[in-house]
Amino acid sequence: MRRRAIASVLVLILLATASFAQKKDALDSEGHAWWQHAVFYEIYPRSFADSNNDGIGDLPGITSKLDYLRWLGVDAIWIAPMFPSPEVDWGYDVSDYFNVNPDYGTLADMDKLVATGKQRNIRVLLDFVLTYTSDQNPWFQESRSSRTNPKREWFIWRDGKDASQPEKTPPTNWTSLFGGSAWRFDAATGQWYYHYFYPPQPNLNWRNPEVEKAMFDVTRWWYKRGIAGFRLDAVDVMFVDSQFRDNPVVGTEKNALGDPVEREIYDKNQPELHGVLQRLRKVADENNAVLIGETWTSDIAQLKRYYGEHNDEVQMPMDFMFTTINKLSPPEFRHQIDWIEGSGEWPVWVLSNHDIRRVYDRYGDGQHNDQIAKLMASLYLTLRGTAVMYYGEEIGMEQNDPKRPEDVKDSQGRLGWPKEKGRDGERTPMQWTDSTNAGFSTVAPWLPVDDRYKTYNVESEKKDPESILNYYQKLLTLRHTNPALLEGKYIALNESDPNVLAFVRSYKGENVLVVLNMSSSGQTIKPELTQNAIAAKEGKTLLSSFNAREEMNTNEMTIPPFGAWIGELK
Ligand code: BGC
């Protein structure tokens, strides 16, 4: 009897979980979906929190920090790949899409993370490495086993260009992002396979409908477990030219890895990828899920394509053009904001991630880094759109590059040392406390903890009202509660000012003014409010990175070096 009762409760729980995945979320009064006002937070699982003290972060570690993330104001986490993997590229080489890397835990741990997140209103997104697999993935193992294997066409196999010496002549001149030819000769079957990244990361053949079906089923399988969506990895290199034409070579110079510089017109951005994204989006829509794109683009037209002509591709293509502005330049930020605002799309802001140097150092001048960290947060977290944070930026974690070649863990750093130190520096353990190893683990972590952890850690910063962490927390609260910051349109002000970036977010008569001094000297500005038909006498400070008065005269404002001021116009 008791057993039956327990069984019925379990069934009910399962049903409730399934309906959580399926249920359509309501749109807000402006027709915005949950993710449009959400703050996303990328977690690099190896480095976030180590629950079993083996020096490696894990899923129970993440679960144990959900209360912290809720306090901070995070609505959704995107976990970088946590699937079983030989770790040639730290998880971006997946050997099994339906499981959890034992270093990180089990499927039960993932279910617990999702369920605990649900209780705290934090959704869990995974990283979908859909362009290539690991060479240890059974699909590729089968594919390489013979030319007639049913999975042969799941990957991209070609004969050598020159039939008289096929093993010496790759099919095209395409180069791998990580150096050398993008083709690897496989002696067993006498053909080359294609890999845009490392040789152990063979590209899938997305022209094969069986691949599409299998990969879409991967997403369905995870949606059923309550996953709220995916970050789509490396979508721009999903397809290569069907005629396998050589890329044009530009000049005679070599790139940092010693390869010719090519115009990547045949190994990147092929039009077919948009068809796949549209169909993948349908599956996501059926599951009320959201897709974030790793969408590297060089202009707004390219970025716009990823949204889809009918908004039917990726809901959240990340605007990486913003991250390429590596200096505090109001004109350049203004231009980038204008671009996306003018496109009519919903912007997706990001400052850094596991492939990009930490924001604290990228913009920091070495003396005012804390102020600059608050300044940059005040920029991208007050703009219209969705923001994707990277773990540790909220405490001012800095770049921590390896000092000796033997310490390098990222193959990119191993290949490029000493010129290219790789990406370990932006992937070091999260700093939780001022105790040993920053409270990440009781044993030496897989990457060294940054030296500054005694001051820059969650516990100490929580106690310091002036800390970067408390600034982020207040900023995220404001972003979630202020109607103008939630829904307001963006109005650029003082557009020729080279030092101060100023704008208003305006919604139904409520106006929030944001003034960001990006220079190292105090600046006085006269915000062009009346010119923009905004009537205001003064501004009530909502948040500022300096000691601002409660009421500020908005006819003329003096902002200290690297100061940020956010206020409500009255
Ligand atoms: C990931 C990188 C990875 C690359 C190749 C990218 O999109 O973000 O971390 O090295 O794919 O695997």
Side-chain angles (χ1 to χ4, degrees):
M1 191 60 200
R2 198 149 156 250
R3 245 197 238 151
R4 211 183 293 155
I6 293 174
S8 346
V9 171
L10 282 178
V11 169
L12 280 178
I13 292 175
L14 277 177
L15 286 174
T17 318
S19 76
F20 170 63
Q22 309 287 328
K23 206 171 65 200
K24 282 263 169 281
D25 282 294
L27 301 180
D28 74 4
S29 59
E30 297 299 312
H32 291 142
W34 72 269
W35 53 266
Q36 292 183 279
H37 293 316
V39 171
F40 287 71
Y41 184 98
E42 180 193 355
I43 289 180
Y44 200 69
R46 223 173 179 73
S47 293
F48 194 61
D50 177 10
S51 72
N52 59 352
N53 291 310
D54 61 356
I56 295 172
D58 46 50
L59 299 184
I62 300 176
T63 307
S64 73
K65 300 298 182 188
L66 289 173
D67 282 332
Y68 162 70
L69 294 173
R70 185 67 278 169
W71 167 82
L72 178 61
V74 167
D75 306 290
I77 54 175
W78 140 39
I79 308 175
M82 58 357 109
F83 308 95
S85 159
E87 307 291 6
V88 169
D89 193 15
W90 297 112
Y92 284 94
D93 44 325
V94 177
S95 51
D96 179 0
Y97 288 94
F98 301 99
N99 216 331
V100 170
N101 182 335
D103 281 352
Y104 300 147
T106 60
L107 277 172
D109 292 328
M110 179 55 87
D111 293 343
K112 179 139 187 244
L113 169 56
V114 171
T116 315
K118 192 186 162 201
Q119 287 159 2
R120 284 156 184 70
N121 248 324
I122 297 180
R123 307 192 197 220
V124 179
L125 283 83
L126 301 184
D127 207 311
F128 189 30
V129 189
L130 75 170
T131 298
Y132 48 93
T133 69
S134 156
D135 62 357
Q136 302 306 306
N137 190 300
W139 296 343
F140 186 70
Q141 297 280 316
E142 280 189 50
S143 183
R144 79 177 340 170
S145 66
S146 85
R147 287 196 186 205
T148 52
N149 184 279
K151 294 239 166 23
R152 185 68 171 181
E153 297 305 318
W154 280 42
F155 294 84
I156 302 172
W157 291 97
R158 300 283 292 174
D159 291 331
K161 204 178 226 169
D162 179 350
S164 68
Q165 41 175 356
E167 72 289 357
K168 295 216 174 84
T169 51
T172 67
N173 71 347
W174 304 339
T175 53
S176 156
L177 185 75
F178 295 144
S181 169
W183 295 94
R184 167 65 53 113
F185 188 70
D186 202 42
T189 55
Q191 280 192 310
W192 299 78
Y193 71 83
Y194 177 68
H195 58 88
Y196 184 79
F197 297 101
Y198 296 118
Q201 294 173 297
N203 275 56
L204 283 158
N205 174 15
W206 274 89
R207 287 206 171 82
N208 181 345
E210 287 177 25
V211 167
E212 178 169 311
K213 159 121 191 13
M215 292 303 270
F216 285 14
D217 283 349
V218 169
T219 68
R220 290 190 181 98
W221 192 85
W222 284 103
Y223 291 144
K224 283 206 188 97
R225 291 196 102 91
I227 293 300
F230 289 95
R231 174 256 191 191
L232 307 178
D233 176 76
V235 283
D236 52 349
V237 290
M238 274 177 88
F239 281 87
V240 292
D241 178 42
S242 57
Q243 295 173 51
F244 293 89
R245 284 169 282 190
D246 278 349
N247 277 331
V249 173
V250 187
T252 50
E253 298 274 300
K254 301 267 189 249
N255 68 17
L257 297 166
D259 293 319
V261 180
E262 295 181 0
R263 243 182 2 107
E264 293 192 272
I265 52 176
Y266 293 124
D267 59 347
K268 243 186 178 171
N269 289 319
Q270 303 300 301
E272 289 94 328
L273 79 91
H274 294 284
V276 172
L277 293 179
Q278 282 157 22
R279 296 189 290 280
L280 190 60
R281 169 66 181 278
K282 279 206 183 110
V283 181
D285 283 347
E286 284 157 21
N287 290 279
N288 192 28
V290 65
L291 302 175
I292 305 178
E294 190 202 9
T295 38
W296 290 96
T297 58
S298 46
D299 62 41
I300 195 68
Q302 271 181 23
L303 184 62
K304 212 170 148 54
R305 283 214 65 183
Y306 282 111
Y307 288 90
E309 240 175 88
H310 307 287
N311 255 306
D312 53 355
E313 293 187 28
V314 182
Q315 292 107 316
M316 288 178 53
M318 291 187 272
D319 181 352
F320 287 117
M321 293 178 282
F322 207 69
T323 68
T324 61
I325 304 170
N326 280 324
K327 52 183 184 295
L328 292 174
S329 163
E332 285 177 57
F333 285 121
R334 222 175 261 134
H335 170 71
Q336 192 56 40
I337 300 165
D338 284 350
W339 242 8
I340 185 83
E341 283 291 337
S343 75
E345 305 293 356
W346 187 261
V348 182
W349 304 111
V350 51
L351 288 182
S352 60
N353 68 24
H354 65 282
D355 294 326
I356 304 176
R357 293 183 72 76
R358 285 221 173 248
V359 69
Y360 190 82
D361 301 69
R362 265 189 16 249
Y363 298 99
D365 65 351
Q367 277 174 30
H368 306 91
N369 288 25
D370 287 14
Q371 288 96 312
I372 295 172
K374 293 175 185 172
L375 178 76
M376 289 307 294
S378 310
L379 167 60
Y380 92 116
L381 293 168
T382 57
L383 287 171
R384 194 183 69 91
T386 304
V388 185
M389 291 174 57
Y390 183 48
Y391 85 95
E393 73 173 65
E394 75 275 21
I395 54 169
M397 270 176 72
E398 70 175 0
Q399 188 72 19
N400 188 17
D401 287 328
K403 316 278 179 297
R404 308 175 310 172
E406 58 269 37
D407 296 335
V408 179
K409 296 283 195 302
D410 175 19
S411 313
Q412 209 173 72
R414 290 202 187 124
L415 291 168
W417 191 274
K419 232 183 178 174
E420 165 64 69
K421 295 200 167 60
R423 298 163 294 181
D424 291 348
E426 57 259 32
R427 300 173 177 179
T428 58
M430 177 71 176
Q431 296 151 209
W432 295 104
T433 68
D434 65 2
S435 57
T436 319
N437 300 322
F440 170 78
S441 180
T442 53
V443 301
W446 78 291
L447 281 177
V449 172
D450 179 50
D451 293 343
R452 297 150 59 255
Y453 76 89
K454 292 248 175 229
T455 320
Y456 293 86
N457 67 69
V458 170
E459 196 177 68
S460 309
E461 289 195 41
K462 261 192 170 181
K463 290 183 203 141
D464 171 7
E466 302 303 321
S467 68
I468 300 175
L469 179 60
N470 275 315
Y471 192 82
Y472 261 84
Q473 196 273 339
K474 286 184 210 142
L475 187 52
L476 293 186
T477 303
L478 200 55
R479 182 184 168 85
H480 279 113
T481 50
N482 183 288
L485 289 180
L486 278 171
E487 309 281 7
K489 68 172 185 231
Y490 166 87
I491 303 169
L493 303 179
N494 302 58
E495 292 193 73
S496 50
D497 193 316
N499 298 308
V500 180
L501 184 64
F503 55 87
V504 165
R505 298 283 313 281
S506 176
Y507 179 68
K508 294 192 174 162
E510 291 192 40
N511 297 303
V512 167
L513 171 63
V514 179
V515 187
L516 308 169
N517 179 359
M518 297 201 154
S519 78
S520 57
S521 50
Q523 299 288 333
T524 298
I525 88 153
K526 296 183 175 167
E528 293 164 351
L529 295 169
T530 36
Q531 293 88 326
N532 284 287
I534 301 165
K537 288 203 193 74
E538 54 186 11
K540 179 178 155 243
T541 301
L542 296 172
L543 182 66
S544 80
S545 66
F546 55 95
N547 209 356
R549 283 194 307 276
E550 232 170 86
E551 305 289 338
M552 295 277 277
N553 174 0
T554 49
N555 290 325
E556 187 170 288
M557 308 176 78
T558 299
I559 309 287
F562 304 115
W565 183 85
I566 304 165
E568 196 177 311
L569 295 176
K570 297 204 290 195

